[in-house]
Structures are given as C-alpha cells and as structure tokens.
Amino acid sequence: MLSVDLGSLLLWGVFATGLLTLIMTGSQQLGWSRMSLPYLIGSMFTPHRGRSMLIGFALHFAIGIVFAVLYALLFESWGRASWWLGLLLGLVHGLFMLVVGIWALPFFHPRMAGKHHGPTPTRQLEPPGFLALNYGRRTPMISMLAHLVYGTVLGAFYELAAGGA
C-alpha cells in the first residue's frame, strides 16, 4: 500500500504546478499562446490587472495543490503510482480542462464575454472558445503538454516518495 506524508505531497504539488505554470507562462511570453491562467483566475476577483495576476498566481498554485491531493487519492485507491499513471491522469485532467473547464469559464467569469453575448463595459475579456483556440491555435497543445508534465511529475515522485517510506 502506498503512503506518502503530507509534506512530500505538498512539495511535489507545488513543484508540478510550478512546471505547469512555467510551460504555460513561457509559451505566452514566446507568443505561442495568449492564455494566462493566473490572469483568467485572478480577474474573476478584481478588475485591477496587477492585483489580478497576484491573486491568480496564488489561487492557481492552491488549485494545483488541490489537484495533487486528488491525484494522490487516486494513486492510493489504486495501491500504486508511476510516471505513466500520472501521465494518464494528466491526459484526462488536461482534456477535461480544455473541453469542459475552459468552455464553462464564460458562464461564471464576471469579466468575460460569452459566445452568445458580446463584450460590455464590465465583460471585456475574450471568451476562450472551444479548446481555448481563441487564445491561439497552439494553446490546446501547450495546455495538454503542461498537464502531461504535471501528471508525470506527480506520478513519478509519488512513486519514489512512497517507495522510500
């Protein structure tokens, strides 16, 4: 039976989230995607661009840790963890986020226009569209890569931490 201490889980959750964020933010900085997850998250809470990035980064890392706990619960329920199980979870996680999570964002984001309702003075953010393609045609590929890395890291290090316990 696997068993990993909470400290290791939090450490690797932060590390995996950091890599995911690095890939997503780096791709944005290189002009490969226009999607900024921290900005999308943070702008739900404030219209101030600087504060929204700070809030968004904090919440993005908190969400990443929550997902790390969910991955760990799955590994525990299976009684095993590995890089390839993490990769598979990352695949499902990434697909879910692109197909369902991003699609649903305009329905509850107070500053995002919707597919059927254009921009208003308060709803000025462009909706992501199917697979977040409105943020660039490379966005789905980059997002999937980032989630695959996230899952692989969690699976590999969960296996190492459990094996060393």
Side-chain angles (χ1 to χ4, degrees):
M1 187 74 179
L2 296 173
S3 180
V4 174
D5 67 279
L6 185 60
S8 290
L9 177 58
L10 293 177
L11 172 69
W12 293 111
V14 168
F15 183 75
T17 303
L19 287 176
L20 181 142
T21 306
L22 179 68
I23 292 168
M24 297 295 291
T25 303
S27 70
Q28 184 191 19
Q29 298 296 321
L30 290 168
W32 298 343
S33 173
R34 293 187 306 110
M35 185 166 71
S36 168
L37 289 174
Y39 181 70
L40 287 176
I41 295 167
S43 63
M44 287 194 286
F45 300 95
T46 179
H48 188 275
R49 191 167 187 78
R51 279 190 290 255
S52 68
M53 289 298 286
L54 181 64
I55 292 168
F57 268 106
L59 289 174
H60 185 248
F61 272 84
I63 292 165
I65 291 169
V66 169
F67 271 98
V69 170
L70 292 175
Y71 277 48
L73 291 171
L74 284 169
F75 294 143
E76 289 290 338
S77 74
W78 295 332
R80 61 188 289 195
S82 67
W83 68 267
W84 64 269
L85 283 172
L87 180 90
L88 290 175
L89 285 176
L91 176 69
V92 172
H93 181 186
L95 284 173
F96 182 83
M97 294 311 291
L98 282 170
V99 175
V100 178
I102 291 291
W103 168 82
L105 196 57
F107 294 110
F108 57 87
H109 196 300
R111 289 169 189 73
M112 183 175 284
K115 180 179 179 182
H116 302 290
H117 299 86
T120 67
T122 55
R123 292 186 175 265
Q124 296 179 349
L125 292 177
E126 178 182 20
F130 181 65
L131 300 177
L133 285 167
N134 288 354
Y135 295 148
R137 63 175 212 244
R138 293 182 184 132
T139 300
M141 176 189 64
I142 292 162
S143 182
M144 282 306 302
L145 172 67
H147 284 86
L148 292 172
V149 168
Y150 176 88
T152 302
V153 166
L154 285 178
F157 288 106
Y158 198 90
E159 180 181 31
L160 286 174

